[in-house]
Amino acid sequence: MKKSAIALSCVSVFLFSCAAPKSITQPDSTTPLAQTVKPNELSTPYTLKTGGEISEHQKHLTVDKALLRFSFDFDKEILFGDTTLTLNASKPQSTFSVDLDTRFTLQDVWLNGERLPNDRYSNKYGELIVSSSSLVAFPATLRVVYSGHPRTPIRAPWDGGVMWEKTAEGQPWLATAVQGEGCDLFWPCIDQPFGEPNETELYITVPKPLVAATNGVLINTHDEGDNRTYHWQTKSVHNTYGIALNIAPYKQMTTQFTSIYGNTYPLTYYYLPEKEDKAKALFDELPEMITFFERMIGPYPFADEKVGIVQTPHLGMEHQTINAYGNQYRKDDGGYDWLMQHEFAHEWFGNQLTNDNWDHMWLHEGFGTYMQPLYAQYLHGNEAYFVKLNAQRKGLANAHPIVSNTLMSEEDVYEKGPAGDIYAKGAWVIHTLRGVMGDDAFFRSVTELVYGRTDPKPGNFKPIFANTQDFIDIVNKHSESNLDWFFDVYLFSAALPELTMTRHKDSVTFAWKTDNNLPFPMPLEVSINGKITELDMQTAFSLPVSQFDTVIADPNSKVLRYEQRYEDYKAWIKENSNTKKK
Ligand SMILES: [Zn+2]
């Protein structure tokens, strides 16, 4: 399924302008609205899930445009929101819904510019259901004016919400991270992959000198008294969880970058001024990182807008064109900032290519994680590549298949599904696939997965949705063979394939063992006294060796497989941490 940035029709522009809201002002502490805020109210399970089962009331809806206005009371930690969604549907309907956390108090709901009476809408459990006395034709605008204390994450970005932090100087430092729970934690939206707005406009009002950095392009700022409103716009389709607020007394570094494709676009880093030197060093890493992705995968997808990084109080998140960075300039021996590189990888794997169901989240995280060893190899060669890969190999759980082929919410993936395996095991599956296919066919397949074509150039592609089967079809096409057996074992089964190596007096026999005896003709390199032989492994294979010969299976670590040494190490770590706890 393809996403397309459908231009607003003149009808929807008309409807939109009918309902274009005026900016809301912050009520002072004596207004009834602020008094109705219930800071301790819990978000409902419906609000806390993202994706998964789709409500009947929003099954047929899409979002043409989201117009989001925000202002804040930083002392009381209250968010004031005013959202207008231009919704579309193939046929008229009298009841439809969007999602919004019940922690917010609704001030007004408007449909096509008309304020709705209270009995025309309800938000009992996080689904804001609008019922009209007659059929509503689409596109239609729904405006929701609301305020409240949004959910505060316990441990962002793994837990979602709005963070109200302070800088070292005691200034407000606000950030949102809602990947796990969804956009409805701070704005009314359709909290599903298909709920992505084709276009988003944000007006964020903050007291000076705070700066509001978000997705897309800064159109202008407007001052009113002590406040400044930042008007941002993104004309690209946008993951709903990728729309992010970042507010702090930021400084900004910007440079123009000319890519290997010849186009020029701005790179911007919004940072806290406390560590200027470190901020500059991080910013200086960007050009080479971008060139790596453009060489290996294809053009930077959002060159019409910007490459954006923003310093956040949480570790990081792939917010499109405003990637959250909170790694505190930590160094490791890879020679680059892995966190920035990982989040930036999601501009390709997550934002340009988006899974059409969270069940396929490994397409975001497996590729996003594989990009760190691949970048280490690009910068420093094979040793750096395998050091990173080996670090990732240690923690695989293999308790659930990476892909279950069911409709999954993101929470399902983490709590009932493969969880962390979508990262490191995903990366190892990709590493193994690269070995099976060879670099040419492999990288061509990855490019087609990301862009829907093998010859992407600036201007000839749009963001797309894809799933695991799309990738398998692409791989089979470019490898000119059927690799279904590969994916059946690595993605659709939990257990890793196991290689049995049996030494006899004058020979050694290799055989693959898989769950349910799935076919697994994985070619295998074998080193005998340093001389490498490749076995096609269509069946078990024996080689003549004496009992004194040194035999190593897969000496170049090409194949992900069950290995007892990793299990022993994992068990030892677990035992050790249990002892420490006592
Ligand atoms: Zn990631």
Side-chain angles (χ1 to χ4, degrees), residues 340-359:
M340 181 165 80
Q341 205 265 358
H342 177 88
E343 301 308 339
F344 195 52
H346 285 307
E347 294 288 24
W348 284 261
F349 304 100
N351 296 337
Q352 162 60 30
L353 155 77
T354 301
N355 51 216
D356 61 10
N357 158 7
W358 287 107
D359 188 32

Side-chain angles (χ1 to χ4, degrees), residues 22 54 101 208 306 361 370 397 549 565 577:
K22 59 183 183 335
I54 303 164
D101 197 337
K208 289 184 270 190
K306 69 178 183 299
M361 197 178 168
Y370 183 63
D549 287 334
R565 61 188 171 123
S577 69

